[in-house]
Amino acid sequence: MDQEAIRVPLIIRGEIIEEDMILFPGRHGGVSFSTPDVRRYLSRMPLRNPSDLKDYYAISLDEIIDFLVALGSRLELDTNRHLQQAYTLSLSASGLTKPILHNMYRNGLQRMFERSWLEEVVDRNIGRDYLEGWVPVPLNSGITGEVRAFGARGLHVVPGNAALAAGITVVRCAVTRSDAVIKSPSNDPMTHAAVIRTMIDMDPTHPVTRHFTVGYWKGGDEEVERALYHPANIEKIVAWGGMGSIKHIVKYLQPGIDLITLEPKFSSSIIGRNTFADEATMREAASRLALDVGGVNQEGCANSRVIYADTGTDPDGIATAERFARMVLDAIAALPERISTTPKDYDPELAAEMEALVLDDMFFRVIGQAGDAAIIVSQDSEPVEFSRLLGGRTANIVPIDGVEQAIRSVNAYTQTIGVYPEALRHEIRDRLGLHGAQRVVALGCAISTMMALPQDGMEPLRRMCRWVSGEGGDNAAIRNAVID
C-alpha cells in the first residue's frame, strides 16, 4: 500500500467524513496516515441529548444481536475491503507480525460476533431481563423495588495491541445500548473504523450504527479532550492504556463522569513442586507455559513474564529450572506462526538489560536468544529488577522453595496468574485473590479471550450501564417503608 495514500476516515453516527485531512505519524516504522481534523467536528461527535438513545429502545435485544451476527458474517478478510485496508495498515503500524495479525483478522474478529458468544456475554455479564425492561425486586418493607440497566454515553480509549479489541468494544457497547465515541490508537487507527464502516454498508440508519462515532486524535490534545470529556457529553470513560495515559485522563474527571480503567497489569505463573518429578509432566507444563509466554509474542498484559518454579533453590533445583527453561524454549519454537513468531521489534531498554545479564552469570543465566526467545533463570529466588520490561518472548524463571514466596509476590497490579498443576490452582486461588490477583487460570489459558467473565477484577459491562432503580407499592407499604 502507498503509505501516502493511507486515509483513515472519521465516522460520526453513520456518516463517513474524509475531509479536512491532517497527517499523523504512526508507530513502528514511522508509517503515517491522514485523517480528518476532529477539532472541526467536536460539536457533532458527542450525543448531546440523552433522549436520543431512545431509538435503541425501540428495538429488542434480539434484534441487536441479529444485527451483530449479520455484521460478523461480513467481517471476512477475503471479501471485506475495509478490513483488508485495516489489516494492511496494521502490518506496518502494529508491533505484531504478519502471521499473528492475519490470524486475528481472519479468524479471531469474526468469532466474537457468533451468536453463542453474544448470548453468553449478555447472560453471564448482566442478564437479558435487566437489559430489556424493569426487573421487579420484592423488598422486606413491602415496597416493590425495580431495577433496569440503561446504556450510557461513553468515550472509549481503546488499545492498539490487538485487533480483537475492536470486537470487544463494539459488542459491549451494542448489547448495553450505549452510545460510543471511540478514540482509535495510532498503532491500529483503522480496525474500529473498518467494523463501523461495515455496519454502514449494512444499514447506515440502524440504531446500532447510529450510536458509534470513531476517530483519531493525538492523545493529550487538550482542545479535543476538554470538549469531549465533559459530563454534558459523556457519562463514562472506558480507558485501556498505560499509567501515563490514565493519569492524563484523570485530570478531566469530575462529578458525572465515571472512569472505567483497563490499564496494563503484570502477569505471572506458578509451577508446583510435583511438576518436576518426571520428564513427561515437565514437558506438558513447558508446552502450556510456552503459550502463556510466547502467545501473541507476549504483547498482551495477560502474558506471563515471571514464572515462579518450585524446583528448590539448591544446585539441583537450579539445574532443574534451567532444564525446564530449555523445554519451554523448545515449546515456544514449536508454536504455530499464527500464535507466535520471532518478534517484529525488541525493546531497546530490555535489550540493554539482557546484554548486561550475559556478563553476570552469578545471579542470572540467560538461555536462548534475546530478540527471538529467551528465558532468564535466576540463580536464587529473586526475579530480575527489570521484570516489568519483559516482553518480546523474554521471561524469567525464578526457582523457589515452596509457593509461599510466589503468593506473596502478588498485589493489586497483578492481572493473570497461570498455575500448574490444576490441584495447586484450587489450593491457592483464594490466597491469590486475597493478595490482589484478578485472574487465576490453568497454565496455558492466559491469553484466551473470555468476554463472558470479569476483566481486571471488575465487570466492565455492568460498569458501562447506569443501574436505575424504582420503588412502588400500596399506601400501607409506603407508610410502612417510611420511618418517622
Side-chain angles (χ1 to χ4, degrees):
M1 176 183 285
D2 179 357
Q3 306 299 346
E4 294 183 0
I6 296 175
R7 295 165 64 88
V8 178
L10 167 66
I11 301 175
I12 302 179
R13 306 179 196 294
E15 179 185 356
I16 300 168
I17 299 167
E18 294 182 299
E19 299 175 347
D20 305 309
M21 306 295 275
I22 54 177
L23 192 66
F24 287 100
R27 300 186 213 170
H28 303 287
V31 176
S32 300
F33 60 91
S34 60
T35 191
D37 183 353
V38 299
R39 289 172 292 189
R40 295 177 179 270
Y41 300 90
L42 287 175
S43 63
R44 296 174 52 193
M45 291 173 68
L47 187 70
R48 298 284 186 182
N49 185 353
S51 289
D52 289 341
L53 279 165
K54 64 181 181 298
D55 56 348
Y56 245 146
Y57 292 87
I59 59 175
S60 68
L61 186 58
D62 282 336
E63 290 174 283
I64 293 171
I65 290 175
D66 287 345
F67 185 80
L68 293 176
V69 172
L71 171 64
S73 71
R74 287 166 171 78
L75 296 177
E76 286 272 5
L77 183 59
D78 289 341
T79 56
N80 186 315
R81 63 187 175 89
H82 310 309
L83 210 57
Q84 290 168 356
Q85 291 171 346
Y87 168 63
T88 303
L89 178 54
S90 289
L91 290 177
S92 300
S94 170
L96 292 172
T97 56
K98 183 176 181 178
I100 297 173
L101 284 170
H102 189 264
N103 185 48
M104 285 183 177
Y105 282 90
R106 176 176 290 281
N107 301 316
L109 197 55
Q110 271 198 309
R111 189 179 182 190
M112 310 185 85
F113 294 90
E114 292 176 358
R115 187 175 298 278
S116 61
W117 276 56
L118 298 169
E119 298 280 3
E120 188 177 60
V121 167
V122 168
D123 293 339
R124 299 291 185 192
N125 286 281
I126 296 179
R128 170 180 291 270
D129 291 346
Y130 290 95
L131 291 167
E132 285 290 72
W134 293 91
V135 177
V137 182
L139 301 172
N140 290 336
S141 65
I143 289 286
T144 298
E146 52 197 19
V147 177
R148 183 167 189 180
F150 283 91
R153 297 173 297 160
L155 190 145
H156 297 254
V157 181
V158 296
N161 60 349
L164 303 185
I168 293 173
T169 300
V170 167
V171 168
R172 285 177 172 171
C173 292
V175 299
T176 57
R177 294 187 173 98
S178 295
D179 186 88
V181 177
I182 299 172
K183 180 198 178 304
S184 294
S186 62
N187 54 342
D188 181 13
M190 196 178 278
T191 303
H192 285 77
V195 175
I196 307 306
R197 287 194 77 160
T198 305
M199 284 187 195
I200 295 171
D201 290 347
M202 293 165 58
D203 185 352
T205 64
H206 193 281
V208 175
T209 310
R210 296 283 295 171
H211 285 289
F212 280 100
T213 293
V214 57
Y216 175 79
W217 64 90
K218 185 175 175 56
D221 186 326
E222 292 206 3
E223 180 181 350
V224 175
E225 294 177 348
R226 286 195 184 282
L228 294 178
Y229 296 11
H230 191 280
N233 296 325
I234 58 169
E235 298 146 278
K236 311 276 185 178
I237 299 175
V238 182
W240 307 58
M243 194 64 70
S245 174
I246 300 299
K247 286 183 176 177
H248 174 74
I249 292 171
V250 165
K251 70 182 183 181
Y252 296 108
L253 295 185
Q254 55 181 301
I257 296 181
D258 181 20
L259 174 63
I260 304 169
T261 58
L262 302 166
E263 73 268 30
K265 305 282 186 176
F266 187 84
S267 296
S268 60
S269 309
I270 300 175
I271 315 293
R273 176 63 63 102
N274 293 341
T275 306
F276 305 100
D278 62 81
E279 182 88 0
T281 308
M282 282 181 72
R283 289 202 177 278
E284 179 181 294
S287 66
R288 290 197 190 191
L289 181 58
L291 284 168
D292 290 354
V293 171
V296 292
N297 281 1
Q298 217 176 10
E299 287 271 327
C301 53
N303 284 111
S304 181
R305 265 74 180 176
V306 171
I307 301 96
Y308 292 94
D310 189 6
T311 58
T313 56
D314 59 12
D316 286 345
I318 301 296
T320 299
E322 292 182 356
R323 192 155 60 92
F324 184 59
R326 292 187 183 90
M327 292 180 182
V328 175
L329 288 174
D330 288 345
I332 289 175
L335 290 173
E337 284 193 331
R338 68 179 185 278
I339 295 176
S340 188
T341 67
T342 297
K344 181 178 179 180
D345 299 307
Y346 198 71
D347 181 359
E349 189 177 359
L350 175 58
E353 295 283 4
M354 295 296 288
E355 285 184 16
L357 279 193
V358 172
L359 304 176
D360 176 18
D361 61 0
M362 179 177 291
F363 298 106
F364 302 100
R365 184 170 183 191
V366 178
I367 299 175
Q369 182 63 49
D372 180 8
I375 303 288
I376 305 161
V377 180
S378 298
Q379 302 298 293
D380 57 19
S381 59
E382 294 298 323
V384 293
E385 292 183 351
F386 57 88
S387 58
R388 298 199 187 283
L389 291 178
L390 294 171
R393 308 206 302 182
T394 303
N396 178 199
I397 289 181
V398 181
I400 53 175
D401 295 300
V403 298
E404 187 62 27
Q405 179 190 341
I407 294 172
R408 289 200 305 269
S409 73
V410 173
N411 56 42
Y413 195 72
T414 307
Q415 191 212 57
T416 297
I417 303 175
V419 183
Y420 187 91
E422 188 68 354
L424 178 62
R425 187 175 76 86
H426 286 267
E427 179 184 333
I428 65 175
R429 61 187 174 184
D430 287 353
R431 291 280 313 283
L432 294 173
L434 291 172
H435 277 254
Q438 297 166 353
R439 186 168 171 248
V440 183
V441 302
L443 197 68
C445 289
I447 61 167
S448 63
T449 303
M450 293 296 166
M451 290 175 61
L453 295 175
Q455 178 181 350
D456 289 1
M458 63 171 170
E459 297 177 283
L461 270 84
R462 296 182 72 84
R463 288 279 307 276
M464 286 172 61
C465 292
R466 289 185 300 106
W467 290 85
V468 182
S469 65
E471 298 100 47
D474 58 24
N475 288 338
I478 292 171
R479 281 196 298 272
N480 185 52
V482 177
I483 301 173
D484 57 18

